Amino acid sequence: MSASGLPFDDFRELLRNLPGPDSAALVAARERDSQLTKPPGALGRLEEIAFWLAAWTGRPPAVTRPLVAIFAGNHGVTKQGITPYPSTVTAQMVENFAAGGAAINQICVTHDLGLKVFDLALDYPTADITEEAALSERDCAATMAFGMEAVAGGTDLLCIGEMGIGNTTIAAAINLALYGGTAEEWVGPGAGSEGELLQRKIAVVKRAVELHRAHLSDPLEVLRRLGGREIAAMAGAILAARMQKIPVIIDGYVATAAGAILRAANPSALDHCLIGHVSGEPGHMKAIEKLGKTPLLALGMRLGEGTGAALAAGIVKAAAACHSGMATFVQAGVSNRS
């Protein structure tokens, strides 16, 4: 807790004083790229990714210790009947991750990515956001701090993902609070809410945002009132990565909502982040556009679990490998442009 006694104060201070990119490392990366055995710009976005890695790590582009961090939380709003799955599925999926049986496990093995899963008090769901704030300021700040610890132990590329029954409802409420529009624009099927369930989900988002409307000008209040533990933890992890010069790949709709909280507090807060993919959730592309980002992949996925971010990590690793491993024109004895 900060000296003022207000739990969010430390996070507000961090968000006001975010470190910027390393301009010297960026210049060096651009200089090396100009000498590689290819026409200028021939690797397209892979080149931009290599420059991004250099700028936000402060060293030549490399990915040697990539990590996928999945945060799992439960939500009291599920008692409103907004999803076909019970909240117990969250804990069951966490067990599945631990056993190696989920899609994210297979992707991590394929791309040689580390995986950590964080169980955020699954037996104690957040409060129902249609009735009260999801979290107290103290609990929300503590969960953000927990998320910050996810990068402890060393990583040089962090992929952020989540698991939580009901959390696309939460993400839709956050987007509606931050960006306006209608609930219908932001609410999608999530894990399979259709027909009456989808209409109930839309109504829940409307009620929640209306209940908390007087407090939604502050992004951190949006987080604690409408968010969830996994979203608070992801926001903390993204923030910690910035402070420790770790580039981040953000996964789908829910993870993007966590990033949106930070960007609403500071427009530069996600400059060290890429969006791994645009999901099949209808509001995700609109949310990405609000962040001023372009996703790396568009595969129609909407699973969560960090799967889109993990797939994108393979592209980032390839970008770093091309930059560091390709020969220069001089080394290869290949004629450069005259």
Side-chain angles (χ1 to χ4, degrees):
M1 184 181 294
S2 64
S4 72
L6 298 177
F8 280 151
D9 280 1
D10 290 335
F11 295 102
R12 297 188 198 283
E13 183 66 18
L14 287 175
L15 284 162
R16 280 192 294 267
N17 296 285
L18 295 173
D22 188 311
S23 57
L26 177 58
V27 168
R30 290 187 183 278
E31 174 61 22
R32 174 171 170 76
D33 181 77
S34 70
Q35 301 171 34
L36 298 178
T37 47
K38 62 178 180 61
L43 283 176
R45 197 168 176 193
L46 289 185
E47 297 177 19
E48 293 301 319
I49 292 171
F51 301 153
W52 168 79
L53 282 171
W56 291 107
T57 61
R59 56 179 174 76
V63 178
T64 61
R65 294 171 296 166
L67 175 68
V68 177
I70 302 176
F71 298 92
N74 274 327
H75 302 269
V77 74
T78 58
K79 73 180 186 181
Q80 299 291 336
I82 54 171
T83 172
Y85 294 97
S87 293
T88 52
V89 169
T90 304
Q92 291 166 358
M93 282 303 300
V94 167
E95 293 176 2
N96 193 29
F97 300 148
I104 187 59
N105 300 99
Q106 319 320 315
I107 296 170
C108 286
V109 169
T110 299
H111 290 298
D112 195 21
L113 311 174
L115 176 63
K116 291 184 180 179
V117 182
F118 300 91
D119 172 340
L120 300 169
L122 296 182
D123 292 334
Y124 301 94
T126 54
D128 182 349
I129 60 172
T130 67
E131 299 174 351
E132 57 184 304
L135 294 162
S136 69
E137 182 172 337
R138 181 183 296 274
D139 288 345
C140 188
T143 307
M144 291 178 72
F146 180 88
M148 295 184 79
E149 293 299 316
V151 299
T155 180
D156 55 11
L157 180 66
L158 181 65
C159 301
I160 294 291
E162 45 62 43
M163 176 63 213
I165 296 300
N167 63 12
T168 57
T169 298
I170 298 300
I174 288 172
N175 282 316
L176 180 60
L178 292 178
Y179 304 127
T182 66
E184 287 83 356
E185 293 177 78
W186 295 112
V187 175
S193 297
E194 299 176 342
E196 183 181 345
L197 283 181
L198 181 60
Q199 294 307 309
R200 200 175 297 150
K201 191 173 178 180
I202 291 169
V204 159
V205 169
K206 289 178 180 178
R207 291 207 313 273
V209 172
E210 188 57 38
L211 175 67
H212 301 285
R213 186 170 298 282
H215 307 279
L216 301 181
S217 60
D218 179 347
L220 293 181
E221 281 294 298
V222 173
L223 175 60
R224 84 165 187 91
R225 289 174 176 274
L226 298 175
R229 290 191 182 93
E230 75 274 51
I231 296 176
M234 286 189 289
I238 293 168
L239 184 56
R242 178 64 164 266
M243 308 309 293
Q244 297 182 38
K245 295 185 177 181
I246 302 169
V248 175
I249 307 178
I250 296 173
D251 189 43
Y253 191 48
V254 179
T256 300
I261 295 290
L262 299 178
R263 190 179 184 279
N266 182 331
S268 72
L270 300 185
D271 287 358
H272 66 304
C273 300
L274 298 177
I275 302 294
H277 76 131
V278 56
S279 79
E281 193 69 7
H284 193 207
M285 190 66 227
K286 182 176 180 179
I288 293 170
E289 290 170 349
K290 292 290 186 181
L291 299 181
K293 300 285 189 181
T294 302
L296 281 177
L297 299 168
L299 300 174
M301 298 166 57
R302 53 182 180 88
L303 180 60
E305 303 179 6
T307 48
L311 284 169
I315 295 174
V316 173
K317 290 179 70 175
C322 286
H323 183 91
S324 63
M326 285 180 66
T328 65
F329 284 102
V330 171
Q331 289 170 334
V334 174
S335 298
N336 199 348
R337 294 180 301 174
S338 59

